Amino acid sequence: MEIIKSIEKLRKVLWEHRKAGKSIGFVPTMGYLHEGHLNLVRQARKDNDIVVVSIFVNPTQFGEGEDFDSYPRDLERDASLCEKEGVDYIFAPDTHEMYPDGAPLVYVDVLKLSDHLCGRFRPGHFRGVLTVVAKLFNIVMPDRAYFGKKDIQQLRIIMQMVKDLNFPIEIVPVETTREPDGLAMSSRNTYLSPEERAVAPRIYESLKEGFQIIKDGERDATKVVEHILEKLEAIPGARPQYVQIVSWDDMQPVKELKDGIYVLATAVFLGPARLIDNIRFKIEGGDVDVY
Ligand code: AMP
């Protein structure tokens, strides 16, 4: 495994592989890797000849007052985890390599799909994500790129970018990896105190309870959301930012649940950490299933 920090060097080595007919799988991350990231890497390892993991804490996707400076970083530890998983290249550019002129003058942005959920509360976040992912796609030129369903709005928006801008890349969604107690794995879980960590699984439990109500036949989205909100507000120290049910196609909130694909999602502040989680599901006739 090789750690490469220069765009030019990475382009050169990947060009040789591409010329030799090798397929390239790409896993973009902000590092401080956990099992969730590693499951993306394992899927990429299965599907491709060459696996590239990028580790870059991207400043353009953090808002003012967010945790860019305090975001955990440990390249040495990440490299040893990647090596064990058979990664071929880590691309770990510094900020100047990615943004030599400071903040870019040209961005990739999205309409509509970022109106709700995290997009509503993190203005400019998805613009920063799309811009860096587009840059990374142009640098790595992978055949496949792997994204976690934990960041479901991000996944939806990246799928749209690839479609609308004709990136010749297959986006592969990967299931959310959870701790044994159900908490979705996240680099930000390291911000939690032992007390906060102990109650954090109640976020996913609340979503599951809401999902069960839908399975039991409730079709009024507002009632489901209210029930979940009540559960979240009862978690000591938790401050829910949103709970919403949106349609998968346009990421707009729905009132009545009919046949279709939906995302039930929340963001909750727990101490200093902003934690997100979701359940994507499909309603077909009377059947409601995780999707
Ligand atoms: P991040 O480093 O948090 O930007 O995440 C990099 C990639 O890993 C994104 O595609 C995330 O959706 C994915 N990811 C992060 N946490 C998890 C998890 N618990 N399960 C599955 N994928 C995850």
Side-chain angles (χ1 to χ4, degrees), residues 45-184:
R45 186 65 285 167
K46 263 190 228 155
D47 300 345
N48 303 278
D49 299 317
I50 299 293
V51 175
V52 181
V53 173
S54 67
I55 295 179
F56 179 61
V57 184
N58 172 40
T60 66
Q61 70 188 68
F62 287 80
E64 224 156 282
E66 290 189 348
D67 56 344
F68 175 71
D69 290 327
S70 56
Y71 198 85
R73 293 158 168 93
D74 190 342
L75 182 57
E76 214 173 293
R77 178 176 158 274
D78 289 346
S80 104
L81 290 169
C82 283
E83 185 142 41
K84 276 190 209 124
E85 298 300 334
V87 169
D88 298 288
Y89 300 101
I90 289 180
F91 177 50
D94 63 19
T95 305
H96 184 262
E97 182 70 4
M98 290 298 279
Y99 301 109
D101 304 325
L105 298 177
V106 175
Y107 286 89
V108 181
D109 209 350
V110 56
L111 303 178
K112 196 169 182 178
L113 301 181
S114 61
D115 288 351
H116 296 279
L117 310 180
C118 293
R120 180 166 162 224
F121 295 97
R122 302 186 71 189
H125 169 67
F126 287 112
R127 186 181 79 153
V129 169
L130 289 179
T131 303
V132 81
V133 170
K135 282 163 74 70
L136 290 167
F137 281 180
N138 283 331
I139 293 163
V140 176
M141 297 206 281
D143 297 277
R144 300 181 190 84
Y146 297 79
F147 290 88
K149 285 194 193 172
K150 195 212 141 213
D151 300 275
I152 197 82
Q153 190 175 21
Q154 169 174 284
L155 169 67
R156 177 67 191 84
I157 289 174
I158 284 168
M159 287 169 77
Q160 195 68 38
M161 176 181 79
V162 163
K163 189 175 177 202
D164 286 353
L165 300 185
N166 301 93
F167 280 96
I169 298 171
E170 182 192 343
I171 300 301
V172 184
V174 179
E175 290 306 321
T176 301
T177 305
R178 298 179 180 282
E179 300 286 355
D181 61 12
L183 175 64

Side-chain angles (χ1 to χ4, degrees), residues 65-67 70-72 122 150 183-197 199-200 203 235-241 266-277:
E66 290 189 348
D67 56 344
S70 56
Y71 198 85
R122 302 186 71 189
K150 195 212 141 213
L183 175 64
M185 287 194 182
S186 164
S187 309
R188 291 189 168 99
N189 291 349
T190 52
Y191 299 157
L192 299 172
S193 70
E195 293 75 25
E196 288 154 358
R197 175 61 189 83
V199 295
I203 297 170
I235 303 174
R239 287 161 291 130
Q241 187 176 53
T266 189
V268 179
F269 285 101
L270 197 52
R274 181 178 175 279
L275 305 179
I276 58 171
D277 206 345

